[in-house]
Amino acid sequence: MLFGSIEAGGTKFVCAIGNENYEIIDSVHIPTTTPEETLHKCVEYFKKFPEMKAMGIASFGPIEVRVDNPKYGYITDTPKPNWSNTNFLGTMKKYFNIPMYWTTDVNGSAYGEYITSIRNHKPVRSLVYYTIGTGVGGGIVNNGHFLGYMGHPEMGHVRLKRAKGDENFAGLCPYHHDCLEGLAAGPTFDARTGKKGKDVPISNPVWDIEAFYIAQAAIQATLFVRPEKIIFGGGVVSEELLDKVRDQFSKLFNNYLSVGDLKHYITMPTVENNGSATVGDFALALKQYYKENIVKI
């Protein structure tokens, strides 16, 4: 069987076709422009695969995930220009009469890491996944289930203590300014240094500021969820950055709780090239397919 995946990000959409073994058969990157143009290109891509049985969609947000809400399947009040009140799921359903699983981009990534841990015979029953890129978001999987009833977690918008020397930075989130996204997302490097993060040497003090904020997020996740692992993905994240995050975490947390070896607790994604969401989408598509097509006796 073939399954579709859409990882919808603020910069690009990754559309893919895979099988029940979560192997990518074909994929394409689509720049995130207007909703009309971007979703049209997604539809045209998947029309090439009429044998597709189900689809998993993991989108940037905020999105409406309550199935009994009239706006279920919508991107709601997002900071992304022109995308507020976009009926994403409804648009795809208009063209494809197949089961679809709808969730956030970071939930998709979290589920991909959860499934991969099981397939690697190293199951992680509880994990938190943060994506730090154009924006910042977080997803939580606990024993195979996402957390959040009234909606999905908005872990990118928690408020943080300011780093020394960063008190006058305005913060880029239009809603909160000094939340995790406003202080640590990729565009903050341009705002602070005039350069993309990839062009800023790891020795630059701005990376210590970044690590200070990410470490606070890891501490909050540790105290709220008590997960087995915290995973950081996205374009901003590197192993060099996580070394700084682990150091800051250790200093700030002060051994309040035992979390084991920080190298195994705060990690990069297992799935290479930030492909966790695609794996997660395939798995969620398969899950939705069975949910809608298998009669329970």
Side-chain angles (χ1 to χ4, degrees):
M1 292 191 291
L2 295 185
F3 301 99
S5 164
I6 302 178
E7 180 191 1
T11 302
K12 67 178 182 296
F13 278 39
V14 180
C15 297
I17 288 289
N19 57 29
E20 60 266 35
N21 293 319
Y22 316 135
E23 296 166 333
I24 296 176
I25 295 171
D26 191 80
S27 67
V28 65
H29 290 191
I30 297 170
T32 307
T33 56
T34 65
E36 295 77 16
E37 181 180 31
T38 308
L39 295 181
H40 173 73
K41 289 182 177 179
C42 292
V43 169
E44 291 303 304
Y45 172 75
F46 286 111
K47 280 183 177 179
K48 297 186 296 183
F49 303 96
E51 63 272 44
M52 178 175 62
K53 296 297 185 182
M55 180 184 294
I57 304 174
S59 174
F60 71 89
I63 67 174
E64 181 55 68
V65 296
R66 293 171 291 180
V67 295
D68 59 347
N69 190 288
K71 289 294 182 74
Y72 173 68
Y74 278 65
I75 296 175
T76 56
D77 296 323
T78 177
K80 180 70 176 174
N82 303 316
W83 280 83
S84 289
N85 206 39
T86 295
N87 187 3
F88 191 152
L89 182 63
T91 299
M92 302 310 292
K93 284 281 190 180
K94 179 180 177 181
Y95 294 95
F96 304 101
N97 184 26
I98 58 176
M100 295 186 185
Y101 196 102
W102 167 251
T103 191
T104 66
D105 49 356
V106 279
N107 269 352
S109 294
Y111 202 78
E113 287 293 315
Y114 167 74
I115 287 293
T116 299
S117 76
I118 295 173
R119 291 171 64 85
N120 289 342
H121 307 289
K122 298 178 180 178
V124 178
R125 291 157 294 185
S126 175
L127 64 86
V128 174
Y129 188 106
Y130 284 94
T131 291
I132 304 178
T134 305
V136 179
I140 303 167
V141 176
N142 192 61
N143 284 327
H145 299 284
F146 295 127
L147 295 191
Y149 177 75
M150 292 301 293
H152 54 82
E154 280 289 351
M155 296 156 65
H157 292 274
V158 295
R159 302 296 284 266
L160 303 174
K161 179 181 179 180
R162 287 285 190 139
K164 187 176 181 180
D166 197 45
E167 295 88 352
N168 294 325
F169 178 63
L172 300 185
C173 174
Y175 293 95
H176 311 119
H177 300 292
D178 57 354
C179 62
L180 178 60
E181 180 169 295
L183 297 176
T188 63
F189 285 90
D190 293 90
R192 288 190 177 99
T193 70
K195 298 179 181 179
K196 302 289 185 184
K198 64 182 178 62
D199 297 322
V200 179
I202 196 68
S203 58
N204 191 303
V206 73
W207 285 107
D208 296 311
I209 292 173
E210 181 84 0
F212 180 73
Y213 294 137
I214 296 173
Q216 290 184 63
I219 288 172
Q220 291 180 0
T222 298
L223 295 173
F224 291 163
V225 184
R226 298 301 302 278
E228 293 178 75
K229 182 177 286 191
I230 302 176
I231 302 166
F232 288 97
V236 171
V237 179
S238 66
E239 193 60 49
E240 292 82 5
L241 172 60
L242 289 192
D243 280 339
K244 291 178 177 291
V245 170
R246 295 180 191 109
D247 183 60
Q248 292 280 6
F249 181 96
S250 182
K251 292 175 181 176
L252 294 170
F253 203 49
N254 197 28
N255 292 317
Y256 179 65
L257 297 170
S258 175
V259 296
D261 185 349
L262 286 181
K263 282 276 188 180
H264 295 107
Y265 184 64
I266 297 175
T267 73
M268 296 275 287
T270 302
V271 182
E272 296 181 348
N273 301 316
N274 283 308
S276 307
T278 299
V279 173
D281 282 349
F282 290 153
L284 291 168
L286 179 61
K287 180 178 181 179
Q288 193 69 18
Y289 174 81
Y290 282 122
K291 180 179 179 181
E292 294 188 24
N293 288 283
I294 303 301
V295 177
K296 296 181 179 179
I297 300 177

